[in-house]
Amino acid sequence: MRRLVSLIAGLCLLGAAGDAMAQDACILCDSSTGKEGSARPDERPLTIEITTDLSFSRMALTGRGGQGSAVIDPQTGARRVAGNVVALGGMAVRGSGRITGTPGRAVRIDIPHRIVMSAGSGATAELEGVVTDLPAYPVLDSGGVLEFSFGGELRITGDAGGVFRGRIPISVDYN
């Protein structure tokens, strides 16, 4: 049974709306026009690309009604199984992504902690504790790029079986 996680990346851009009275205090306004615009004239829009999907590869539950889990480390890509789960071979792969934008800018990356995954049979599994190798305060490098990897723990219970798929909505914004 192969577990795959497809990723969808959401993109959040800065924006603000203000009435005429609040425009004097608008920090996103172009100082020459007084209208909303980029917070910085050289600011590039943020983009995110998932370069590698997270894959737990082939695993199986041993015994009926069992439960177990598999963890993929975001730094090493190593997979560990626990409980009634056994690895059946294949290569587990950590996910990876690439963010581009304005060089030197700090960014905030939001990744949900828990994702429900499903198989064509209707069985479900949960991807929990999604973690990255990002630093506490991520910043785009001098070329405006930040690459990262992610992993998590796949929890399987009962008679769940099949090819599990899910989407991890990842959003990124300037700080």
Side-chain angles (χ1 to χ4, degrees):
M1 292 177 276
R2 212 168 96 188
R3 291 10 181 192
L4 298 176
V5 177
S6 300
L7 300 169
I8 186 168
L11 178 64
C12 296
L13 296 178
L14 288 174
D19 57 28
M21 295 180 76
Q23 278 195 336
D24 290 351
C26 178
I27 62 170
L28 296 176
C29 293
D30 182 347
S31 60
S32 64
T33 65
K35 295 184 180 177
E36 285 185 49
S38 176
R40 294 173 42 173
D42 63 337
E43 188 168 271
R44 296 181 198 164
L46 282 169
T47 63
I48 183 167
E49 172 190 11
I50 301 306
T51 54
T52 308
D53 289 343
L54 180 62
S55 174
F56 286 84
S57 193
R58 297 171 11 145
M59 300 179 296
L61 276 172
T62 59
R64 269 194 144 354
Q67 62 181 11
S69 64
V71 175
I72 294 183
D73 182 274
Q75 293 179 334
T76 65
R79 175 184 60 191
R80 293 185 324 271
V81 295
N84 293 332
V85 172
V86 294
L88 298 176
M91 188 166 78
V93 180
R94 66 184 171 192
S96 62
R98 176 183 168 101
I99 299 168
T100 58
T102 305
R105 288 291 306 271
V107 293
R108 182 182 67 246
I109 297 117
D110 293 316
I111 301 175
H113 182 74
R114 180 179 167 273
I115 295 93
V116 176
M117 300 175 50
S118 59
S121 65
T124 61
E126 293 183 1
L127 179 61
E128 296 180 344
V130 178
V131 292
T132 71
D133 64 353
L134 288 164
Y137 301 102
V139 176
L140 301 176
D141 67 14
S142 61
V145 175
L146 175 62
E147 294 184 348
F148 66 98
S149 297
F150 55 94
E153 180 177 10
L154 181 66
R155 290 189 177 272
I156 308 162
T157 59
D159 294 330
V163 177
F164 290 88
R165 296 180 186 270
R167 295 189 184 275
I168 304 173
I170 300 173
S171 64
V172 60
D173 204 350
Y174 286 118
N175 268 347

